[in-house]
Amino acid sequence: MKVLVTGSAGRVGSFVARQLLASGHQVRGFDLRAADLEDAAFEEVVGAFDDREAASRACEGVDAVLHLGAFMSWLAGDRDKLFRANVEGTRIVLEAAAVAKVGRFVFASSGEVYPENKPQFQPITEDHPTKPLSPYGVTKLIGEELVKFQGRASPMETVILRFSHTQNAGELLDPDSFFSGPRFFLRPKITQQEGFGNQTAADLLRAADPGQAALVLARNENGRPLRMHITDTRDMSSGVVIALTHPKAAGGVFNLGATDPVDFADVLPVMADKTGLPLVTVDLPGAGVWYHTSNQRMRETLGFEPEWPIMRMLDEAVEAWKRRQV
Ligand code: NAD
């Protein structure tokens, strides 16, 4: 097949592109940035999703589109860019794909289309009401509607994958990582909370600073540790590749992610033990993230089987952390 992978310079897109190339497919990337990928079967369009000319060039002659690229930001100042990339960009890529008579369009949505932070029931299934609590989640939900509309308006098959939070294992113990830094490391978390304007949280965290780099076990105001899914990029990639061709994927909506959520009270002590970093526990204002999303539909309908549970990811994370220390 010839497959367009959007977000081809990103975490998931670059891995999917490599996986498809390794299986003998031809791949075209489409991203604002060039991918670090040299392969005779790889070509790319460098441009923005909402640039109609670039989107048309990207979709021309491909059998399928994996729309994995998006802008992820939770900062108020990024709002216009967020909607341009994820809503306008998705609409324009979809329209270009329909004009190019693409056979299948797979869309990377997000668990943030649910109220993941305040679910009405758990585990969260695909039937859970979609009521995003963040502008990013709103852009993904509008994206889903645009995908469904194009599925009705054209012969193109569509698949919606509601992505779990996704990390490369090597990012987990990197204090500079966009997600994992402020999630697990105390000082990056202080900086993040200050950036969000959460002064009370920043002050509570600062009060716990032991005077050296440290890990933080964040809990909610009642002392309940956070719980969420963290899925390895490799598992996400294998789910995306299944969605590309599986006959039963067409027209479907699937939660894609690890089977079990990660309880921070389980992993932080292991991280501290394996790195030798001190671990501090801080109870932060608010209810805190505590969710479990079901991947049962993806496993039972499409045969998805994740292979990288968090403790397996952690082994690699620790190796990467050790390499960064020398
Ligand atoms: P990433 O940030 O690593 O990659 C996204 C890529 O999209 C980047 O290379 C970026 O340059 C490109 N991009 C952004 N805006 C663009 C635009 N306007 N035009 C062209 N290219 C643009 O993200 P990822 O972790 O690989 O995520 C892949 C997909 O999964 C995204 O759609 C994301 O919203 C979704 N998702 C990710 C997570 C996660 O935790 N990583 C969770 C839920 C959903």
Side-chain angles (χ1 to χ4, degrees), residues 48-320:
F49 300 145
D50 62 335
D51 175 341
R52 189 172 290 281
E53 185 277 324
S56 299
R57 251 188 308 132
C59 291
E60 182 63 42
V62 300
D63 302 301
V65 174
L66 301 177
H67 186 34
L68 308 180
F71 182 53
M72 287 190 280
S73 173
W74 289 261
L75 296 173
D78 283 337
R79 206 62 50 82
D80 292 349
K81 189 174 164 192
L82 187 69
F83 278 76
R84 253 198 322 276
N86 299 357
V87 177
E88 267 310 88
T90 297
R91 180 180 70 83
I92 286 169
V93 175
L94 271 164
E95 289 176 3
V99 168
K101 301 202 178 349
V102 164
R104 185 173 285 198
F105 190 101
V106 178
F107 176 59
S109 181
S110 164
E112 284 203 31
V113 299
Y114 306 117
E116 254 175 353
N117 296 358
K118 276 191 209 161
Q120 291 175 16
F121 58 81
Q122 301 203 49
I124 301 169
T125 62
E126 290 82 352
D127 302 320
H128 191 288
T130 47
K131 296 179 182 175
L133 295 173
S134 64
Y136 166 75
V138 172
T139 67
K140 286 294 181 178
L141 188 56
I142 299 173
E144 287 194 7
E145 285 303 327
L146 294 168
V147 170
K148 287 180 190 167
F149 168 71
Q150 204 52 251
R152 292 190 294 273
S154 74
M156 189 161 68
E157 292 178 347
T158 60
V159 186
I160 291 170
L161 300 176
R162 291 183 177 151
F163 274 34
S164 147
H165 180 63
T166 305
Q167 292 281 271
N168 293 332
E171 291 178 272
L172 286 180
L173 282 168
D174 181 355
D176 297 326
S177 150
F178 175 67
F179 288 121
S180 294
R183 180 168 295 131
F184 300 127
F185 289 84
L186 180 65
R187 286 177 181 166
K189 193 169 197 72
I190 295 170
T191 308
Q192 180 203 47
Q193 292 302 312
E194 280 171 343
F196 287 150
N198 297 336
Q199 208 46 53
T200 310
D203 289 345
L204 287 165
L205 291 159
R206 205 175 294 106
D209 193 327
Q212 65 172 102
L215 294 164
V216 60
L217 169 57
R219 307 191 304 190
N220 80 353
E221 59 198 14
N222 300 317
R224 183 178 69 188
L226 308 190
R227 182 179 82 169
M228 62 183 283
H229 287 262
I230 299 176
T231 306
D232 191 288
T233 301
R234 289 163 284 201
D235 282 336
M236 297 303 286
S237 176
S238 67
V240 169
V241 171
I242 291 171
L244 174 64
T245 54
H246 200 299
K248 289 187 180 162
V253 178
F254 301 90
N255 290 335
L256 174 59
T259 302
D260 297 312
V262 175
D263 188 321
F264 284 24
D266 293 338
V267 294
L268 263 304
V270 177
M271 288 176 168
D273 182 49
K274 295 201 172 182
T275 59
L277 289 168
L279 173 63
V280 299
T281 300
V282 182
D283 294 348
L284 297 173
V289 175
W290 199 78
Y291 66 86
H292 175 192
T293 303
S294 169
N295 65 4
Q296 190 177 359
R297 183 184 287 178
M298 186 80 193
R299 285 190 292 118
E300 292 187 355
T301 315
L302 305 185
F304 170 66
E305 219 32 82
E307 294 178 354
W308 291 89
I310 191 71
M311 290 304 175
R312 193 171 175 209
M313 290 175 77
L314 261 185
D315 290 340
E316 273 190 24
V318 170
E319 289 313 310

Side-chain angles (χ1 to χ4, degrees), residues 26-59:
Q26 284 177 278
V27 176
R28 184 181 294 151
F30 182 20
D31 198 299
L32 284 172
R33 304 175 288 153
D36 180 20
L37 221 170
E38 298 259 333
D39 191 298
F42 180 74
E43 60 189 33
E44 63 191 332
V45 172
V46 175
F49 300 145
D50 62 335
D51 175 341
R52 189 172 290 281
E53 185 277 324
S56 299
R57 251 188 308 132
C59 291

